[in-house]
Amino acid sequence: MVEIGRRRVLAAAGGGALAAGLATACGSNTGRGGGSSGPEIRQWYHQYGEPGAERAVKRYAAAYRKAEVSVQWRPGDYDRQTAAALLTDSGPDVFEANGPLLEQIQGGQVADLTEVVEPVKDDFHQAALAPKIWQDKVWGIPQVVDVQLLYYRKSLLRDAGVEPPRTLDELVDGAKKLSGRKSKGLFLGNDGGVGVLGGTPLFAAGLSLITEDGKAGFDDPAAARTLGKIRQLYADKSLLLGAPTDWSDPAAFIQGLTAMQWSGLWALPQIEKALGDDFGVLPFPKDGSGGKPSVQVGAYACAVSARSKRQAAAKTFAKWLWVDRTDYQQDFALSYGFHIPARISLAKKAEQLRQGPAADAVRFATDHGYAEPLLWTTADRTAYQDALSRIIKDGANPESELKTVVRKVNAELQRVKKK
Amino acid sequence: MTVGGSGGAVAEHPPPSRTPAVPDAGRRRPLGARLLGPQRRNLWFWAFVGPFALGLGLFTYVPLAWSVYLSFFDAHNTVSPSGSDFVGLGNYTAMVTNEAFLGSLGTFALFTVFIVPATYALSLGLALMVNRLRIAQAFFRSVFFLPTACSYVVAAVIWKLSIFNGVRFGLANTVLGWFGADGTAWLSTTDPPWYWLVIVTVRLWLQAGFYMILFLAGLQRISPQLYEAAAVDGARPGWQTFRYVTFPQLRATSVAVVLLLVINAFQAFDEFYNLLSDARGYPPYARPPLVYLYYTALGRDQNLGLGSAGAVILALIIALATVVQARWFGLGRKEE
């Protein structure tokens, strides 16, 4: 019988640990490029639903030669994850930001990217770029532009004798006619549009969230009148509520639970596949004589952490990916999900965006697109959404509710301007 | 009789002195030995308690103290504010005058009013039924207890998507449809506030089994002789026996159950958050304090100073409520 000595056991354990380490290193997919050199850069993305998007961003990272880029694809509540990570040194170097927010910029959490963006600044979709600028500096590079639209089912509207709505009054009347026991006229989300509509009805009334001279932009009787009409949709029982999926998913529209739905451009391929050409898109209809159609645009941006120890390398990588490599930007915007490339020159070249509802969406985004301004803080958004909920669901007086929000917004504006 | 000493003559009646009555009296023990304690008890005490105490200090008391510190600063997007961000009691003033925070306390109060009596009655009822069973008692005890093992998140998602969704094929709306009634958007309707039905039922389903077990333990501690004596005295079985024998005997269990239920109600978060929030936020109704503070401190706003002030206020309210409740119920008082 072979005697097993202490040395032999230790040697075996050490060998095992080494083998396990090697196996782990070989088996884990960090998204690093094989032949890259230089510093290691940590890049974070939120989890996209579209198949292939994760593989694509890892492919872009692997193609970068000046640094090793490790990609983290983060499911769950991404905004809170990044907000928490940016308080520490262990956060990302480069990351997707649903912003960046004014508080993050003022708190010194994100790096100035003006030099990176400046040479191509005019080529970006201006409504999407505007909220990334604070004190004439650019704090994030828009990656893609997302547009929110009103989808309508042509056949259902035709059967009910309803024209595609061009005014808010037509939308209210049409939604009522299209509502029955089995399906509803309009789906604005399970909360009745409180979360997703944001400032859209205000823009449709010719107003804004914050004026150019930095005041609450809806201290106007037109705001109360327009929000009262959204309440009317709820009171008429024209809104679909409590659907298994929310506004961002087109399932309710495709399944015939609603004749019209407010959703994003990203849903277009799925709707087209299910309904063929039996659908169209519209902006949110205008209200009143001073009104104008409105669509909300938003853009995830690429930001660089100000706490990064490899900030210069991270900026160089961000420039390479989101300014120089236009082929990757085009691929990312259109090959997996369905977004408008953030660069105007790329959007113009995209075949997929040249016809049908997609072309309409691009036109709406160009002509009627607005983005939530940078000065619209989270506290403002919460106060406004709470008021909107009380107006729509409880029938609260829109004028008094909005007056409270105006006071709150003006106080917040004073606070952030002091910083 | 001789006292102590390792030998030698000792006076039969020693004079009063401070000399300890230990074997090596008069000889000071080395510091190491004293630290270790008799039979190394101190060493073993810290070996077992030390890691827990360290964890408790590091992960509970330090963050708690840091949170109190932060509550005096304008700490937006930072956990290490500078002196210029000091706002004194500003965050506390803002919090106690904030309608949304006060509303969240109102939500909690309403939730407590619903959930505490409902869970108490249901779990006691279940315990009484299971206790009377002569066959398959263990089976039914397990059946009612099993939901306790389910996570609040999973249960909330099932309630939201399968049972109480607002479309015609949701379970609750299907049942309504059989009676010719229109479907209801359970979580989106505020008039009437059907969302309370969803919130209360999910928690009832999840926690009634646990409290049933506590009541079962209490019921099994009641002496059979008491029932015999009550029967001899003419108490009728059923309500009268329950009213005058069972219920008073469950007093200690009832006090513990109510206390736990109230504390659990204060901690309500998971089912509210998963039932009512979406990617865009949380509606102003049925927003309990923890959900509100979560959005304030850890949401995109990252207002850690204001959130900390709210957490301190909430902790003080919970402490006060617990003390008042304990005194009211006579918790810890000796049985008469």
Side-chain angles (χ1 to χ4, degrees):
Chain A
M1 186 179 162
V2 180
E3 194 176 318
I4 302 173
R6 195 194 311 171
R7 279 187 187 176
R8 187 170 291 185
V9 170
L10 285 172
L18 183 65
L22 286 172
T24 309
C26 295
S28 67
N29 182 1
T30 62
R32 289 178 199 170
S36 307
S37 59
E40 185 189 333
I41 295 172
R42 290 166 297 191
Q43 186 186 22
W44 285 17
Y45 286 90
H46 83 281
Q47 184 185 31
Y48 285 78
E50 296 91 352
E54 183 181 7
R55 232 179 6 259
V57 298
K58 286 184 173 171
R59 180 163 51 82
Y60 310 153
Y64 190 60
R65 295 292 156 206
K66 290 184 183 168
E68 283 201 30
V69 182
S70 65
V71 173
Q72 280 197 33
W73 194 251
R74 300 186 76 89
D77 196 340
Y78 179 80
D79 292 342
R80 286 192 183 85
Q81 289 175 30
T82 45
L86 290 176
L87 297 172
T88 71
D89 290 329
S90 58
D93 301 303
V94 185
F95 63 101
E96 263 194 339
N98 191 3
L101 303 176
L102 183 60
E103 284 90 351
Q104 291 175 327
I105 297 168
Q106 289 186 328
Q109 293 187 320
V110 288
D112 176 7
L113 297 174
T114 312
E115 280 183 13
V116 172
V117 174
E118 196 61 49
V120 289
K121 196 173 169 186
D122 294 338
D123 192 32
F124 279 102
H125 193 290
Q126 293 303 298
L129 181 65
K132 320 294 178 201
I133 298 173
W134 172 245
Q135 294 181 335
D136 298 328
K137 292 176 181 165
V138 183
W139 301 91
I141 314 170
Q143 296 179 174
V144 288
V145 176
D146 283 316
V147 188
Q148 292 173 17
L149 300 155
L150 185 68
Y151 288 90
Y152 64 95
R153 186 90 170 257
K154 288 178 183 172
S155 57
L156 292 178
L157 266 65
R158 197 172 48 238
D159 294 348
V162 173
E163 286 293 315
R166 307 284 168 182
T167 65
L168 187 52
D169 290 324
E170 286 177 17
L171 180 70
V172 173
D173 292 343
K176 193 174 179 183
K177 281 184 192 163
L178 289 160
S179 295
R181 283 195 70 171
K182 289 196 168 179
S183 68
K184 294 288 185 179
L186 178 61
F187 184 40
L188 295 173
N190 284 323
D191 58 2
V194 172
V196 67
L197 285 183
T200 304
L202 301 178
F203 278 84
L207 305 169
S208 61
L209 290 168
I210 296 191
T211 58
E212 285 184 7
D213 57 346
K215 288 178 187 158
F218 46 96
D219 193 3
D220 190 300
R225 181 200 66 214
T226 301
L227 296 188
K229 290 177 185 175
I230 309 289
R231 158 69 186 172
Q232 191 60 44
L233 283 164
Y234 181 86
D236 287 346
K237 298 189 188 301
S238 303
L239 296 179
L240 173 66
L241 300 165
T245 54
D246 216 340
W247 66 275
S248 59
D249 190 295
F253 184 64
I254 290 169
Q255 290 166 7
L257 294 172
T258 178
M260 296 183 279
Q261 176 173 341
W262 187 254
S263 191
L265 179 63
W266 56 84
L268 195 141
Q270 216 177 325
I271 293 173
E272 202 160 36
K273 192 176 170 189
L275 304 179
D277 59 359
D278 185 21
F279 78 98
V281 293
L282 287 171
F284 193 86
K286 65 178 181 179
D287 185 44
S289 54
K292 56 192 179 188
S294 93
V295 294
Q296 191 182 133
V297 299
Y300 261 93
C302 174
V304 170
S305 168
R307 293 181 80 125
S308 167
K309 292 186 176 70
R310 298 160 288 273
Q311 202 183 113
K315 280 186 184 179
T316 310
F317 169 67
K319 179 179 181 296
W320 174 81
L321 184 55
W322 296 113
V323 174
D324 300 339
R325 290 305 299 255
T326 50
D327 52 339
Y328 287 161
Q329 292 158 39
Q330 185 93 338
D331 180 62
F332 183 71
L334 291 159
S335 299
Y336 312 101
F338 204 68
H339 317 269
I340 301 175
R343 301 275 287 276
I344 297 164
S345 56
L346 296 179
K348 280 181 181 165
K349 276 196 280 183
E351 280 295 326
Q352 300 96 314
L353 299 175
R354 282 191 183 167
Q355 54 194 352
D360 292 339
V362 175
R363 186 163 48 83
F364 297 149
T366 311
D367 297 345
H368 311 301
Y370 85 91
E372 284 191 348
L374 186 63
L375 287 170
W376 187 246
T377 64
T378 309
D380 293 337
R381 192 177 298 109
T382 305
Y384 176 73
Q385 285 186 357
D386 283 3
L388 201 54
S389 177
R390 286 189 286 267
I391 292 167
I392 295 175
K393 292 187 175 175
D394 303 339
N397 184 308
E399 280 178 12
S400 58
E401 288 288 338
L402 284 176
K403 274 199 188 331
T404 311
V405 183
V406 166
R407 275 199 300 275
K408 171 80 181 170
V409 170
N410 285 333
E412 271 288 289
L413 286 166
Q414 291 304 316
R415 182 184 71 78
V416 297
K417 280 177 193 167
K418 273 187 208 159
K419 287 254 177 180
Chain B
M1 180 185 164
T2 58
V3 179
S6 53
V10 178
E12 197 151 320
H13 299 286
S17 80
R18 289 180 189 156
T19 308
V22 290
D24 47 1
R27 190 153 51 84
R28 198 170 171 76
R29 298 168 67 212
L31 180 65
R34 272 184 288 141
L35 286 176
L36 288 175
Q39 295 177 325
R40 298 190 174 187
R41 275 189 202 148
N42 289 354
L43 175 72
W44 291 117
F45 173 81
W46 284 111
F48 286 105
V49 175
F52 172 75
L54 191 70
L56 188 72
L58 208 60
F59 298 113
T60 303
Y61 293 122
V62 170
L64 237 165
W66 197 257
S67 182
V68 174
Y69 170 76
L70 276 181
S71 70
F72 298 110
F73 290 86
D74 177 15
H76 267 92
N77 291 70
T78 180
V79 284
S80 49
S82 64
S84 62
D85 296 326
F86 184 76
V87 292
L89 293 173
N91 285 328
Y92 288 91
T93 316
M95 224 23 160
V96 294
T97 54
N98 182 342
E99 280 180 25
F101 180 64
L102 297 177
S104 75
L105 293 176
T107 295
F108 154 71
L110 200 58
F111 179 57
T112 309
V113 167
F114 277 129
I115 199 69
V116 174
T119 312
Y120 182 91
L122 181 64
S123 52
L124 180 57
L126 286 175
L128 289 168
M129 281 196 302
V130 171
N131 196 43
R132 289 173 69 90
L133 286 173
R134 292 287 165 262
I135 51 165
Q137 191 190 73
F139 171 76
F140 284 103
R141 201 170 51 208
S142 303
V143 165
F144 292 128
F145 183 73
L146 268 179
T148 307
C150 183
S151 108
Y152 272 67
V153 178
V154 172
V157 171
I158 293 170
W159 250 244
K160 182 179 184 172
L161 297 183
S162 299
I163 303 175
F164 289 107
N165 70 36
V167 292
R168 60 178 184 272
F169 44 78
L171 181 63
N173 280 342
T174 304
V175 173
L176 284 179
W178 293 341
F179 299 98
D182 283 341
T184 296
W186 300 95
L187 289 165
S188 307
T189 308
T190 54
D191 184 24
W194 286 116
Y195 52 87
W196 278 121
L197 179 76
V198 186
I199 291 167
V200 169
T201 51
V202 72
R203 182 167 271 234
L204 267 179
W205 182 74
L206 283 164
Q207 68 178 10
F210 172 75
Y211 294 102
M212 176 201 74
I213 295 290
L214 297 189
F215 277 123
L216 266 177
L219 285 171
Q220 284 161 11
R221 281 181 58 225
I222 302 173
S223 165
Q225 281 81 10
L226 270 176
Y227 290 107
E228 286 167 17
V232 169
D233 287 346
R236 286 190 298 276
W239 171 249
Q240 213 169 35
T241 306
F242 173 76
R243 167 78 180 79
Y244 294 104
V245 181
T246 311
F247 193 65
Q249 288 296 311
L250 285 175
R251 185 175 174 279
T253 311
S254 294
V255 169
V257 165
V258 171
L259 200 65
L260 286 173
L261 281 172
V262 172
I263 291 171
N264 277 349
F266 263 115
Q267 294 173 338
F269 180 87
D270 286 347
E271 73 270 45
F272 281 86
Y273 185 78
N274 288 289
L275 284 171
L276 290 168
S277 74
D278 60 27
R280 295 276 171 158
Y282 193 99
Y285 53 89
R287 181 163 52 194
L290 283 189
V291 171
Y292 181 74
L293 294 178
Y294 173 71
Y295 276 99
T296 304
L298 301 175
R300 294 184 77 202
D301 200 21
Q302 291 272 302
N303 193 341
L304 296 155
L306 193 63
S308 297
V312 171
I313 293 170
L314 191 62
L316 290 176
I317 292 173
I318 294 174
L320 187 70
T322 310
V323 169
V324 168
Q325 198 185 358
R327 287 189 71 86
W328 188 28
F329 281 120
L331 193 70
R333 207 183 293 156
K334 281 185 182 171
E335 291 286 339
E336 287 167 14

